[in-house]
Amino acid sequence: MLSRTADHLYWMARYLERAETTARLLEVGARNALLPDPSGGYRNDWEAVLQAKGTLEEFKEKYGEPNQRNIETWLFFDAENPSSVLSCINAARENARVVRTALTAPVWDAINSAFQELKQLQRTERSKLMLSDLSEWTLRTCHLVRGCIQATQLRNDGYDFMGIGTSVERADNTARLIDVKYYVLLPSLSYVGSGLDQSQWALLLQSMTAQRAFNWTYTGEITAQKIAHLLILNRKFPRSLLSCVRWSCEHLDNIAENYQTGTRAQDVAHQLLDDLSRATVDDIFDEGLHEFLGRFMARNAGLAITVQDVYLHGMPA
């Protein structure tokens, strides 16, 4: 497969996953804004959402102080924000259009239909658009495209590059969603273990559609340790960091088998998987959840750069 084709498939998958996470973050912000603030002081959960996306400064330059209406516009409809749902869906569709012959008809139809529906949403009066409807539309669209990929794409190297794009992006996004809860949303460390703390952990589960998975897997009350285990180390949960890295390894192994040569990307991915497999929740909390997540995101970004260097910018090495 040409590097250019692989690059478009890889980024198509990444942009779809990024659009879904932006929608999930919007949902988290909206739900958290409904929680009472026991401190009685100033706490802006919408700023936390922007910090998680790394776009707080850009937002303030354009809109000023965060409020729900402006943040909805910035994160969903603003074409100047490269992480907005609009930008991500447009970019995914453009990447898909360039390599349309590498996609099955159902996959292309699903992406192109999403693009057309989004244009229709842009023309709709904003007062008629509920945030929950926008979030649900985004999640449903991304699920539909991925379902078509799973059901109809040949398991060749193109499928594996889409898989790597999805798993690398999902790992980064899961880490960011956990980080926004632990590091940004609590007013102070004195609230750790409080009712607010518990409510925010429960919200995090809801934002990742993980409540039922949690209830099936763990007994007793919701605790930070159990949720951290589910979202970081549980290999049965499809959005956990361990599951994402394991899938990256499997897709890279498939590509190496197809090309009959191993690569640095395989080594980087397997080293990350080995380290994550040996970690425990106690280790993670001893290090500090925020510090652990920051280190993981840096290593996951390193994997993405290596994949880009090895496969998408030249011949396999």
Side-chain angles (χ1 to χ4, degrees), residues 24-39:
R24 288 180 184 276
L25 277 169
L26 266 173
E27 193 71 21
V28 170
R31 289 175 182 268
N32 270 294
L34 299 176
L35 290 177
D37 184 355
S39 68

Side-chain angles (χ1 to χ4, degrees), residues 3 11 24 28 82 89 169 235:
S3 295
W11 279 104
R24 288 180 184 276
V28 170
I89 294 293
E169 185 71 27
R235 64 181 63 244

